[in-house]
Amino acid sequence: MKKYDLIVIGGGPAGYAGALKAAQYGKKIALFEKEKIGGVCLNVGCIPTKALSSKAGLLENIRTQTQKEVLRDAGLFSYKKIQKQKNEVVNRLTRGVDSLLKAAGVDVFLKEAEIISPNEIKAGSEVYSTEYILIATGSSNLLNLSFDNKNLSYDSTGLLNIDRVPSRMVIIGAGVIGLEMASIFNSFGTKITIVELLPEILPDFDSDVTKAYQRQLEKRGIEFQLGSLVKSIDSIQENKKRIIFTDKDGQEQNIITDIVLCSIGRKPNVDKANAEKLNLKIDEKGFIVVNNMMQTNLPNIFAAGDITGAPLLAHVAIKEAEVAVKNMFSDKKNHRSTNLVPSCIYSYPALAKIGLTAKQAKEKNLEILEGVYNYIGNGMALALEETTGFAKIIVSKKDKKIVGGQILGEQSVELIMQLAVVIANEMTVDQWDEKIMVAHPTLSEILHEAIMDSDNKSIHTPLSKKS
Amino acid sequence: MKKIKMPPGGQNVDELMITTWEKSVGDQVKRGDILLTVETDKAAMDVESFASGTLLKIFYEEGEVVKIGDVIALVGNPDEIAEIKKSAEYEKSIDIQSPTVEVSEAIEDEYQPIMPTETDKAEKDLKYEDKSSDEFIRVSPAAKKLIRDNKLNIEDIEPTKGKISQKDVEEYIKKNQTTPKEESDFKRIPLTNARKTISKRLTKSVQERPTFHAEVEIDCTEIIKLRKDLFEKYQEKVSYNDIIAKALVNCIKEYPLINAKMTEQDIIVFNSVNVGIAVALEENLIVPVVKNVEKLTILEIAKNNSENINTVRSGKFNPEITQNGTITISNMGMFNISRFTAILNPPEVTILAIGRINKEPIWNEEQEKFVAKPLMTITGTFDHRVVDGAYGAKFLNMLRELLENPLLMLA
Ligand SMILES: Cc1cc2nc3c(=O)[nH]c(=O)nc-3n(C[C@H](O)[C@H](O)[C@H](O)COP(=O)(O)OP(=O)(O)OC[C@H]3O[C@@H](n4cnc5c(N)ncnc54)[C@H](O)[C@@H]3O)c2cc1C
């Protein structure tokens, strides 16, 4: 029987990052993955969706330029080729991760693993013993829902694999996945309706931001049915489904559609019976309970990633796995920090946030200043013809420290990371003003102007607008 | 070669009727082009081609009802048709209305147009009507089609519950249909801006103001004499309107609410009396105002008034001339009208409608017989929110008294 320092269960972002980190400590590691290296993120999540959204953005650009007669003919596109390109991206990246693991000396087993004791796991008929275990089994789409007892809806994984663009799609759930898919398929020509139970989308953002965001998507023809409850889905003809829901006025409505995407949430990949047997603590939804060192109630079992609950994001998974491994193999204790998680929606336009929102600041009784700057006032945005959107910066009134930001518009998912650096270093508005020179012309100047606007010092905001 | 099949028409629909073929055999079609329109008893829709090529064959004509899924046309390369024709099965296939020839099952075109097709675009355009307010109006597909087909403006259609349904559009069309269909039955007169303004103002006046009417008959013997005297003395023509305007000033001193306006919180009583005198033009009605009548003599009123009338008739005047009126006089005597009622000129609360002067027999107590007297009716329209019945009546009676005894105006 082989003896390992660490056995990782799951080959997604949490699993592979944990294994690679442990390898840096010179440890002997095994990683078990029952499906494909890369997990949800690389195979059926972050990466394939972005391969599609980049093409969706390209089509939008071509349309704009054709309307402006810069291009004479927009031409034709092949969704099959876009799919092919998407698959190539996924393959390259998963192969890359695979070779990183091999190069680090990690023993990779493409097998399902089961914990039989805090120091032993079983895969097939073999048992492997280990000092530590990292559970990184991730999450899967919620399925078998009461309103869809005939299983007629697609989940995100199914939708990513269709080989032709549907002409009509209804999306249940206006979360990040639903919104990204809506934006992508709208660009490919699908008419989309989003049905959402809550009265507004993305409650973690400030509502002035989400209202503007929703309006942009509506302008593109995406229809929202908020405050609406789905009752049933049935099949009325070959390839045609009917979805019935009650809208916000309590009226029953139905839509005939090619495809229903159900994106209302994800559930942990946990073997509840086994957890009980091991006495491993899980919460009522089945997510594994960990302390802020990513340690479970069983001292040498750690967990990281989606399996430990919200936020279900790949960058959170990677960070958590690294924290877990550091706590196993280094004397210095590490804690997961939860306040600086960037949250990004890769739609057109894109939306991103970090740190505190105005809403959260209010809940914390923190007095704040807000700074706003519109893309339309920025030279680079004009040159790019991407003038939709704005940056909103949250500053603590007391000490003028920048504590949060939300950006709607082109490249917002990249711009937001500048704020991560600023907030992590507790930079004030004045320090930014003194120390930072922003290259011109860049979209980053939008951030600069928004930060200065919080102190009424943006020179590119008309004086009359300042209060 | 690709088979074009009758597409599904929605819930509980098994068959559809072909309304029109938009393409004919031999036409080039692109993917996304509208091939034909079809309808159910409830809705109409366009059928787009999913294939590109030449329209080779149409199996069903306009007006025919076709089962969903049945092949209605073939699109492909003209060479292909020759081959199929040779097989002799072709004609037969038409007879049995479903080709038995082996045509490859429609393979989907791999490439689709980047720009939205005409139909998509119409849908998207509807969406782009970003009603400037943040409120978003949904439009049902059937309604969209109706709007498009009738070339209507989506802004004009009133949504129910934030959504424009087919019914809303149908109702709009019904309402805006002018019934006689043949143009020879009527003549269409476009609304001028002036006509629009008049109609708006009058409608608003009637809708917002509860009014009452009261009338007095005036023995004009004295004012007829007064006019004559003034002309002999000053060679100036003074109209009855001028004399009434002068008399009004005295009455208003006694009954100030006649010369007032009402706001949401209070009644505003004007100090000056600005009398508007309605002038009928060819296709319009203008009410120039003689201002500060309380400071003017009858001759000055007459001069101002005739200047106003000339300016207005010339057609070139500053709108100021019609502004700041506090009371209006409208006289139809010259049109031989005995009596009429007028509509208030907001925000004023009084308008006087003057009829013609007519000789009428009046009982004379002293002479114990009927004597002919020149009588004139003045019908007042009052805003009842400000002017009570008795108040209006007393005002009119004082006016009568002054006009019958003009010397009292000096009192
Ligand atoms: C459509 C979509 C788009 C997304 N886009 C983004 C994005 O843009 N940005 C972002 O940050 N996040 C995104 N996410 C979320 C992101 O994919 C997840 O947060 C991330 O994959 C979590 O990583 P993980 O390692 O915890 O779990 P997973 O990626 O779920 O990996 C877990 C792995 O464990 C394996 N496994 C489970 N049980 C066993 C077992 N008993 N034995 C062996 N192997 C096992 C599974 O097969 C799986 O491969 C998206 C998700 C979806 C569905």
Side-chain angles (χ1 to χ4, degrees):
Chain A
M1 193 172 67
K2 255 190 176 172
K3 167 105 176 143
Y4 288 100
D5 295 317
L6 168 65
I7 287 181
V8 178
I9 308 177
Y16 79 71
L20 292 174
K21 190 81 213 166
Q24 288 183 349
Y25 289 96
K27 301 293 170 184
K28 185 130 194 54
I29 309 139
L31 183 147
F32 288 82
E33 166 56 58
K34 70 178 160 80
E35 282 168 26
K36 285 181 183 153
I37 289 294
V40 169
C41 177
L42 269 62
N43 291 292
V44 291
C46 331
I47 299 303
T49 50
K50 269 80 250 179
L52 294 186
S53 69
S54 87
K55 292 297 170 291
L58 173 67
L59 294 182
E60 292 297 345
N61 277 337
I62 292 174
R63 282 183 193 123
T64 310
Q65 295 310 323
T66 309
Q67 263 149 15
K68 292 185 176 171
E69 295 176 4
V70 170
L71 302 178
R72 196 180 60 188
D73 277 319
L76 306 169
F77 79 96
S78 160
Y79 185 66
K80 280 199 179 124
K81 294 287 187 298
I82 292 177
Q83 278 282 23
K84 201 171 144 225
Q85 186 266 353
K86 178 207 83 180
N87 294 336
E88 277 166 19
V89 170
V90 167
N91 288 337
R92 276 184 76 167
L93 205 59
T94 48
R95 271 205 312 272
V97 169
D98 201 33
S99 51
L100 278 177
L101 288 168
K102 291 214 170 91
V106 176
D107 289 345
V108 177
F109 299 91
L110 288 179
K111 286 182 185 167
E112 180 160 2
E114 190 191 340
I115 302 173
I116 47 176
S117 84
N119 293 100
E120 286 167 309
I121 74 123
K122 196 175 142 200
S125 53
E126 286 192 60
V127 173
Y128 303 80
S129 78
T130 178
E131 180 75 27
Y132 287 107
I133 295 174
L134 177 64
I135 307 176
T137 49
S139 65
S140 342
N141 284 303
L142 270 175
L143 278 180
N144 295 320
L145 300 148
S146 59
F147 54 77
D148 185 19
N149 48 21
K150 292 183 212 113
N151 255 326
L152 295 168
S153 66
Y154 279 81
D155 64 5
S156 59
T157 306
L159 185 65
L160 283 172
N161 285 326
I162 57 171
D163 59 2
R164 55 169 299 192
V165 177
S167 66
R168 189 82 174 86
M169 175 155 71
V170 175
I171 297 178
I172 309 173
V176 176
I177 293 174
L179 290 165
E180 281 187 10
M181 292 297 197
S183 177
I184 290 169
F185 280 91
N186 173 272
S187 293
F188 290 151
T190 307
K191 169 84 188 93
I192 286 165
T193 302
I194 302 180
V195 182
E196 163 64 54
L197 186 61
L198 296 177
E200 58 181 284
I201 61 169
L202 304 173
D204 289 345
F205 284 74
D206 281 334
S207 63
D208 53 350
V209 177
T210 50
K211 288 229 169 72
Y213 174 61
Q214 183 180 336
R215 208 150 50 230
Q216 289 306 323
L217 295 181
E218 282 173 339
K219 271 195 180 178
R220 292 179 48 202
I222 296 172
E223 189 178 73
F224 284 83
Q225 291 282 357
L226 302 181
S228 298
L229 179 70
V230 175
K231 301 186 87 176
S232 65
I233 305 170
D234 53 4
S235 171
I236 56 161
Q237 269 154 15
E238 192 193 350
N239 294 328
K240 288 276 171 192
K241 277 138 206 141
R242 181 180 56 181
I243 174 166
I244 300 179
F245 59 94
T246 41
D247 68 14
K248 63 175 190 311
D249 305 318
Q251 295 277 331
E252 194 163 282
Q253 292 204 31
N254 71 68
I255 297 176
I256 310 239
T257 180
D258 301 318
I259 282 186
V260 176
L261 168 67
C262 190
S263 51
I264 59 167
R266 296 180 62 84
K267 61 171 190 326
N269 295 330
V270 71
D271 180 347
K272 284 189 187 167
N274 193 36
E276 203 166 310
K277 208 168 71 197
L278 288 168
N279 202 17
L280 178 69
K281 222 155 120 191
I282 57 176
D283 70 13
E284 69 280 6
K285 285 185 189 150
F287 291 105
I288 293 177
V289 178
V290 288
N291 61 20
N292 65 7
M293 288 160 54
M294 305 319 294
Q295 193 172 29
T296 70
N297 63 318
L298 305 174
N300 54 343
I301 300 183
F302 287 69
D306 282 6
I307 190 67
T308 64
L312 306 185
L313 291 167
H315 41 278
V316 173
I318 292 172
K319 202 81 187 174
E320 287 178 348
E322 288 176 354
V323 167
V325 168
K326 283 181 197 165
N327 285 328
M328 294 171 194
F329 302 121
S330 92
D331 298 334
K332 221 172 126 234
K333 290 301 153 215
N334 257 271
H335 300 284
R336 100 171 128 172
S337 91
T338 49
N339 61 352
L340 271 186
V341 177
S343 166
C344 301
I345 305 173
Y346 298 74
S347 48
Y348 186 77
L351 181 61
K353 128 179 133 64
I354 195 157
L356 293 182
T357 60
K359 212 189 300 182
Q360 287 169 326
K362 203 170 163 201
E363 281 158 14
K364 295 191 166 169
N365 286 324
L366 178 70
E367 274 200 276
I368 56 159
L369 301 168
E370 289 181 16
V372 174
Y373 196 77
N374 287 318
Y375 271 58
I376 194 127
N378 174 269
M380 195 60 187
L382 284 168
L384 292 169
E385 296 181 60
E386 294 288 357
T387 51
T388 299
F390 57 86
K392 173 177 169 179
I393 304 293
I394 310 293
V395 172
S396 146
K397 193 172 179 181
K398 181 176 77 221
D399 49 17
K400 299 271 178 69
K401 277 183 185 159
I402 297 159
V403 293
Q406 293 157 79
I407 311 176
L408 171 67
E410 181 69 9
Q411 304 276 340
S412 57
V413 296
E414 300 288 345
L415 293 174
I416 204 75
M417 291 318 297
Q418 302 185 27
L419 288 180
V421 177
V422 165
I423 298 170
N425 287 295
E426 303 194 352
M427 219 173 189
T428 66
V429 173
D430 289 340
Q431 283 166 349
W432 169 281
D433 192 16
E434 274 163 33
K435 293 183 181 166
I436 305 292
M437 192 192 291
V438 184
H440 175 76
T442 55
L443 294 178
S444 301
E445 289 170 297
I446 296 168
L447 274 187
H448 171 73
E449 297 292 351
I451 291 172
M452 298 320 292
D453 180 57
S454 68
D455 208 12
N456 284 340
K457 282 186 192 146
S458 159
I459 59 166
H460 291 103
T461 299
L463 273 176
S464 58
K465 282 207 181 157
K466 296 181 180 174
S467 47
Chain B
M1 174 152 31
K2 279 138 203 175
K3 294 180 195 172
I4 306 292
K5 292 182 182 170
M6 185 58 96
Q11 270 173 281
N12 310 325
V13 175
D14 305 324
E15 45 187 30
L16 291 162
M17 189 180 82
I18 298 179
T19 8
T20 33
W21 276 101
E22 305 288 342
K23 300 273 177 189
S24 329
V25 172
D27 282 358
Q28 280 303 117
V29 294
K30 286 200 307 294
R31 199 185 140 115
D33 282 355
I34 296 173
L35 279 179
L36 69 160
T37 56
V38 294
E39 63 179 38
T40 66
D41 48 349
K42 288 195 203 69
M45 61 184 201
D46 295 332
V47 179
E48 289 174 13
S49 177
F50 63 83
S52 302
T54 308
L55 182 56
L56 298 175
K57 188 70 208 167
I58 287 177
F59 292 109
Y60 295 91
E61 293 306 320
E62 290 175 2
E64 288 193 77
V65 175
V66 185
K67 277 236 290 294
I68 282 156
D70 277 4
V71 178
I72 48 179
L74 298 175
V75 170
N77 187 328
D79 305 342
E80 294 176 284
I81 199 90
E83 267 170 45
I84 301 167
K85 263 187 178 158
K86 267 186 248 147
S87 75
E89 290 279 352
Y90 180 70
E91 291 302 319
K92 202 171 110 208
S93 74
I94 299 160
D95 292 338
I96 56 168
Q97 292 193 332
S98 156
T100 53
V101 281
E102 276 307 307
V103 277
S104 57
E105 192 46 55
I107 331 155
E108 239 239 311
D109 272 4
E110 184 180 326
Y111 286 86
Q112 64 187 82
I114 291 177
M115 291 311 274
T117 58
E118 286 307 311
T119 30
D120 287 350
K121 224 189 272 167
E123 277 202 358
K124 284 234 172 92
D125 284 348
L126 289 174
K127 285 293 173 196
Y128 281 149
E129 305 271 7
D130 184 16
K131 295 220 160 192
S132 68
S133 80
D134 287 347
E135 218 178 349
F136 196 69
I137 306 293
R138 281 172 283 132
V139 187
S140 82
K144 262 180 223 163
K145 169 125 181 82
L146 265 179
I147 291 170
R148 206 163 65 220
D149 291 351
N150 290 288
K151 301 201 166 59
L152 302 177
N153 187 351
I154 191 167
E155 306 255 325
D156 296 340
I157 297 161
E158 201 54 47
T160 16
K161 286 207 188 123
K163 180 166 177 158
I164 297 178
S165 68
Q166 187 178 357
K167 211 169 119 227
D168 296 328
V169 184
E170 281 165 356
E171 250 157 35
Y172 174 84
I173 293 173
K174 215 189 286 164
K175 224 168 46 202
N176 288 278
Q177 230 166 27
T178 25
T179 7
K181 281 263 151 51
E182 285 149 51
E183 282 283 325
S184 59
D185 287 358
F186 59 85
K187 184 173 156 231
R188 211 182 278 277
I189 302 166
L191 289 182
T192 59
N193 280 338
R195 188 48 44 196
K196 282 186 193 156
T197 314
I198 289 179
S199 85
K200 243 191 237 146
R201 277 186 69 101
L202 293 181
T203 310
K204 195 164 143 67
S205 170
V206 171
Q207 277 171 348
E208 291 179 359
R209 278 148 233 273
T211 56
F212 72 95
H213 309 287
E215 186 172 285
V216 282
E217 281 189 326
I218 287 150
D219 177 348
C220 294
T221 315
E222 291 302 316
I223 50 174
I224 292 173
K225 199 166 153 277
L226 177 65
R227 273 188 85 204
K228 224 165 80 197
D229 293 351
L230 286 171
F231 186 72
E232 274 167 14
K233 193 120 200 194
Y234 302 100
Q235 298 299 304
E236 292 277 2
K237 270 196 173 169
V238 173
S239 71
Y240 294 106
N241 291 346
D242 302 329
I243 299 169
I244 294 167
K246 181 70 193 168
L248 267 181
V249 173
N250 288 40
C251 301
I252 284 167
K253 266 193 210 131
E254 200 85 354
Y255 300 99
L257 287 177
I258 297 298
N259 193 52
K261 76 168 179 186
M262 189 169 166
T263 70
E264 275 184 15
Q265 296 85 28
D266 44 24
I267 294 169
I268 291 169
V269 177
F270 297 110
N271 292 329
S272 46
V273 181
N274 300 340
V275 182
I277 298 180
V279 180
L281 301 180
E282 194 116 322
E283 18 183 274
N284 207 345
L285 179 91
I286 301 285
V287 186
V289 175
V290 181
K291 298 195 174 103
N292 298 99
V293 174
E294 76 280 3
K295 292 187 187 143
L296 305 178
T297 64
I298 287 192
L299 289 179
E300 286 166 334
I301 295 171
K303 197 163 150 265
N304 275 327
N305 200 9
S306 64
E307 269 173 21
N308 276 355
I309 291 170
N310 288 336
T311 323
V312 168
R313 291 226 167 106
S314 76
K316 285 185 227 98
F317 59 89
N318 187 323
E320 248 174 53
I321 202 172
T322 64
Q323 285 163 6
N324 297 320
T326 59
I327 186 165
T328 298
I329 295 174
S330 175
N331 195 326
M332 299 234 261
M334 61 285 227
F335 302 118
N336 214 11
I337 293 296
S338 341
R339 49 166 57 80
F340 71 102
T341 59
I343 291 172
L344 285 176
N345 186 15
E348 296 169 15
V349 298
T350 310
I351 184 166
L352 300 178
I354 321 289
R356 66 174 179 180
I357 296 174
N358 201 25
K359 288 245 170 73
E360 303 273 354
I362 296 289
W363 185 251
N364 188 304
E365 281 293 335
E366 282 159 36
Q367 299 177 24
E368 294 205 341
K369 65 172 182 187
F370 284 99
V371 178
K373 290 274 187 192
L375 294 188
M376 174 174 80
T377 57
I378 297 184
T379 310
T381 298
F382 302 98
D383 186 336
H384 213 326
R385 297 173 308 167
V386 177
V387 180
D388 289 332
Y391 194 91
K394 283 187 205 157
F395 156 78
L396 282 177
N397 266 301
M398 178 169 176
L399 185 62
R400 183 184 55 79
E401 221 180 317
L402 291 183
L403 292 174
E404 289 181 350
N405 310 287
L407 274 182
L408 289 181
M409 286 192 219
L410 299 176

